[in-house]
Amino acid sequence: MLKKLLDKTFWKFILVGIINTLFGAAIMFTFYNLFHLSYWFSSASNYFFGSILSYFLNKYYTFRYKERSWGVIGRFVLNILLCYLIAYGIAKPLVLHLLSGASVSIQENVAMLVGMVLFTLLNYLGQRFFAFKKTEQ
């Protein structure tokens, strides 16, 4: 099972993820640290803009998914939404507890980093086995 998870699709997802992470992180940390927007708005903006890029790169490059329907878009959006809510919903309270003595800025920056890692793991599984799951012929 591990061999199936770590096939060439996984490595393509990682490459797309690196590109997408740099793009999204730049948006998120710019919004939070330069524009002083909230934790939730900044992290959500990362995934709003990053998800648009991710959809096209993963659909056509990573998973080579040919189906064109509103269903695949709906599954993709649902996957992103659930992964975001779970990852960042876990990351913020966890980091706030672990770094309770640190400033809010440090806590929330670290929470956003932790959320990114959790999101990436959940998102890979969700895109591969739900959003872009190939149906058996």
Side-chain angles (χ1 to χ4, degrees):
M1 174 142 171
L2 187 60
K3 187 175 181 179
K4 181 179 179 173
L5 285 175
L6 299 179
D7 64 1
K8 70 178 181 175
T9 301
F10 174 79
W11 298 110
K12 285 181 177 183
F13 185 84
I14 294 298
L15 177 60
V16 166
I18 291 169
I19 294 165
N20 207 52
T21 298
L22 293 173
F23 174 74
I27 291 169
M28 180 171 65
F29 289 114
T30 297
F31 280 13
Y32 184 79
N33 292 300
L34 293 179
F35 299 135
H36 305 289
L37 299 172
S38 74
Y39 169 87
W40 289 108
F41 185 85
S42 299
S43 62
S45 295
N46 170 2
Y47 291 99
F48 177 78
F49 294 111
S51 292
I52 294 168
L53 177 62
S54 175
Y55 176 80
F56 290 103
L57 291 176
N58 281 317
K59 182 176 193 274
Y60 295 108
Y61 173 70
T62 304
F63 299 108
R64 299 199 183 276
Y65 195 79
K66 305 295 184 204
E67 180 184 327
R68 290 181 177 201
S69 72
W70 287 106
V72 69
I73 294 170
R75 289 191 308 271
F76 181 84
V77 169
L78 180 61
N79 176 64
I80 295 295
L81 182 61
L82 290 174
C83 291
Y84 170 76
L85 291 173
I86 292 167
Y88 283 81
I90 290 171
K92 188 169 184 180
L94 176 67
V95 171
L96 292 180
H97 175 72
L98 293 174
L99 299 179
S100 61
S103 72
V104 171
S105 178
I106 289 173
Q107 290 173 338
E108 290 187 342
N109 275 285
V110 172
M112 287 187 287
L113 286 170
V114 171
M116 287 173 64
V117 171
L118 292 173
F119 177 88
T120 300
L121 297 171
L122 294 170
N123 187 37
Y124 172 69
L125 296 172
Q127 284 194 40
R128 179 155 189 183
F129 298 110
F130 176 64
F132 298 121
K133 181 179 180 181
K134 293 193 169 95
T135 56
E136 300 300 322
Q137 301 292 337

